[in-house]
Amino acid sequence: MKVKILRFKIEPHFFTKKLISFFILEGSKNLEIIEITPNYVIFQCELFIRETKEIIDRFKKNFPTLGLVSEKELSMEEWKRLRLSKLEVGKFKFKPIFEKQENEERFIYLDTLFGAFGIDNHPTTIICLEFIDRIEKNYETAVDFGAGNGILSLALSMINIKKIIAIDIFFNYCLEIRQNCKINKISNIFILNGNSMKIVKEVDLLVSNVPLSAFKDKNNSILQSKFKECILSGVKIENKDEFLEIIKTNQIEIKEFAEKEGWLGIKGVKTLS
């Protein structure tokens, strides 16, 4: 499989949530703004598909003023070396699988098949890992909702939680979690492809690193589900007040609060199940 790195140019008033959502739903990863001027926005995304012509045509059909600035193709190995890097947070040591050495100290190895979230040392991932690293209780069960590549599920497994359920809406991401469980010889992570907590009856710990929109969406029942404690992140600082109101509405008492590079996270306790 090849990875296409695409750069597009569009007028600022057309660079909207609708455009971003459309790109994500079409399979775009790592969407980032490269340049902003009063006259245009240049942004970049990555596609993990064999044929990109059809998807680019769909982009242009839905956004007629969209222009393709550049297109670069990388092999998966080239992309992995560009994106994957070591990460150490507390007791957790993550390392790309292609850097594995014989007889080295214990690492959690990560591979990537589809560029699932969790591979690029994002501040929200680090916030969640720091909270997990400080866990002292012995939890029986945990859910990782919006699991991405499973990095948080892998960390939960390392602190001896007996049963972990990793849930992600993207089937490809679930395959990536399975791959990372396999290479780390982990068997207590159960993977569900979906976008709802309704299938989970009750757990000790909920971990969810997802955008604010997911916490607002009552259909997925993230915060309405039955859990005792939670670790939540994925929200930008500018949305702090709205996020805290959602937390309060769902009877969650904040025990710890964290901020990192413009993002926030909390560790809380459900006061009413």
Side-chain angles (χ1 to χ4, degrees), residues 25-88:
L25 290 172
E26 286 285 349
S28 300
K29 304 292 185 295
N30 298 315
L31 195 149
E32 58 182 319
I33 296 173
I34 303 300
E35 183 180 358
I36 299 178
T37 76
N39 299 317
Y40 61 83
V41 175
I42 294 178
F43 64 97
Q44 176 175 292
C45 69
E46 297 170 358
L47 290 174
F48 293 76
I49 55 177
R50 289 176 174 81
E51 293 294 332
T52 57
K53 184 179 183 305
E54 289 185 4
I55 195 169
I56 291 174
D57 289 342
R58 288 199 295 274
F59 289 159
K60 291 181 177 179
K61 181 179 179 181
N62 283 271
F63 304 94
T65 62
L66 184 70
L68 180 63
V69 176
S70 65
E71 181 176 348
K72 183 179 181 181
E73 184 174 283
L74 300 177
S75 69
M76 184 56 78
E77 286 304 313
E78 289 173 327
W79 181 85
K80 286 179 182 181
R81 295 185 183 278
L82 176 68
R83 283 292 185 183
L84 288 173
S85 59
K86 291 182 182 178
L87 172 63
E88 293 191 18

Side-chain angles (χ1 to χ4, degrees), residues 106-243:
R106 177 60 172 160
F107 280 90
I108 304 173
Y109 298 105
L110 296 175
D111 198 358
T112 184
L113 303 173
F114 303 100
F117 185 82
I119 61 169
D120 58 354
N121 302 353
H122 194 274
T124 58
T125 302
I126 295 173
I127 287 172
C128 290
L129 288 171
E130 288 174 341
F131 280 137
I132 294 171
D133 181 56
R134 294 197 295 272
I135 288 177
E136 297 179 351
K137 291 184 179 180
N138 294 319
Y139 296 109
E140 291 283 325
T141 56
V143 167
D144 178 8
F145 187 89
N149 70 341
I151 187 171
L152 301 181
S153 293
L154 295 169
L156 292 168
S157 180
M158 292 295 106
I159 61 171
N160 299 317
I161 294 179
K162 291 184 179 179
K163 181 179 180 181
I164 300 145
I165 302 173
I167 303 175
D168 204 282
I169 189 174
F170 296 111
F171 180 70
N172 288 347
Y173 289 11
C174 293
L175 295 178
E176 196 158 310
I177 298 169
R178 185 176 69 177
Q179 170 73 355
N180 284 325
C181 289
K182 181 179 179 180
I183 63 179
N184 289 284
K185 298 179 181 180
I186 289 174
S187 59
N188 64 331
I189 296 176
F190 301 86
I191 306 163
L192 292 178
N193 176 217
N195 189 36
S196 176
M197 284 282 289
K198 293 178 182 178
I199 195 172
V200 180
K201 292 183 178 180
E202 187 172 357
V203 292
D204 294 325
L205 177 67
L206 166 67
V207 176
S208 189
N209 182 18
V210 295
L212 177 65
S213 58
F215 291 119
K216 293 168 64 176
D217 184 0
K218 294 182 180 180
N219 292 323
N220 59 36
S221 305
I222 301 177
L223 301 183
Q224 292 81 39
S225 59
K226 291 185 178 181
F227 57 87
K228 295 176 183 177
E229 300 188 17
C230 62
I231 291 172
L232 309 174
S233 193
V235 179
K236 291 186 176 181
I237 288 294
E238 55 259 39
N239 297 318
K240 177 179 178 179
D241 292 342
E242 185 177 5
F243 178 60

